[in-house]
Amino acid sequence: MAKAVEDTAFYRYGRLLSRNDVGFDPAAFTLPIEAFHAAMAERAARWPRAMLASATHDHKRGEDVRARLAVLSEIPVRWRETVTGWVAAAAAIDDAVDAGRRLYAAADAVRRLARGAPDR
């Protein structure tokens, strides 16, 4: 079930792509830092030899890409202004592509345009 949600719903709703990935819960956007540290302390106590990984082979985007995309949440006005122009330009070329996919493509462009980002 979870895989179906991640591979379908997460790819149809691209508001903040850094949150649309394997194992993420869109209902739990973030944790206060104290709660994160408490959860990690409990994890270390219960599974002392386990590794805390922020990415696995299942992730659709690397950690660096998710970090770049997460920055967009810090500049919502600038991002909205920028993406509005990009989406309008894309619609002028091909209006058959739905707005969600155009938004997804705009966010993907951010990762590709990042200085020094590998083209993968």
Side-chain angles (χ1 to χ4, degrees):
M1 177 65 173
K3 186 71 172 160
V5 170
E6 291 158 354
D7 285 346
T8 56
F10 282 7
Y11 280 88
R12 291 193 172 105
Y13 183 74
R15 196 162 188 179
L16 183 58
L17 294 181
S18 60
R19 298 296 307 151
N20 289 18
D21 221 325
V22 175
F24 284 56
D25 179 359
F29 188 73
T30 188
L31 285 176
I33 193 73
E34 298 81 12
F36 174 78
H37 284 289
M40 294 304 103
E42 180 182 345
R43 180 185 168 108
R46 293 180 71 176
W47 299 289
R49 296 185 179 161
M51 179 174 70
L52 173 61
S54 58
T56 73
H57 69 283
D58 283 333
H59 281 98
K60 307 291 189 241
R61 294 165 198 89
E63 294 164 300
D64 58 331
V65 171
R66 283 184 282 135
R68 278 188 223 114
L69 294 173
V71 168
L72 300 177
S73 70
E74 299 290 326
I75 53 169
V77 173
R78 183 173 176 192
W79 173 239
R80 182 176 53 245
E81 291 169 353
T82 301
V83 79
T84 298
W86 289 353
V87 168
I93 296 167
D94 184 357
D95 66 353
V97 178
D98 68 74
R101 290 184 191 269
R102 288 194 295 263
L103 182 58
Y104 192 99
D108 193 53
V110 167
R111 93 161 166 91
R112 292 177 181 275
L113 294 172
R115 188 176 311 191
D119 186 26
R120 48 184 159 142

